[in-house]
Amino acid sequence: VQLQASGGGLVHTGDSLRLSCAASALIFSGYAMSWFRQAPGKEREFVAAITSWSDGATRYADSVKGRFTISRDNAKSTLYLQMTKLKPEDTAVYYCAQGGYRDRRTYKYIGQGTQVTVSS
């Protein structure tokens, strides 16, 4: 398994969740990483990206800015997405991927997704 997302679940509006993405070192180290999501019947939506450094620059979709935080632990080859103040419209399958914002339409490696469901 090269990318494996986990941490999703069923929560209520306003709750928090932290997603994790365990990655193979070969496709994690030295690469920007992203989270994106896809809701039923909707197109893929970029969520957040981080450059290759542990304290690297980040970028967020406007819809999650101020509520979600992307981070990474390069020693563990793990990507995180801390989600707070969750809303029903955040309901989707969340995926981690190798690449940054500019790669959002052509990610080379995409992990298995994890379902996040936010009830109102």
Side-chain angles (χ1 to χ4, degrees), residues 58-98:
T58 56
R59 182 167 183 162
Y60 297 92
D62 288 343
S63 58
V64 307
K65 201 172 294 183
R67 299 188 298 121
F68 291 10
T69 303
I70 187 172
S71 62
R72 63 191 293 161
D73 185 334
N74 285 348
K76 297 181 179 179
S77 296
T78 302
L79 181 72
Y80 302 100
L81 185 69
Q82 178 68 49
M83 306 186 294
T84 65
K85 302 176 183 177
L86 284 161
K87 306 175 181 180
E89 50 264 44
D90 294 319
T91 295
V93 178
Y94 284 70
Y95 300 88
C96 54
Q98 182 200 62

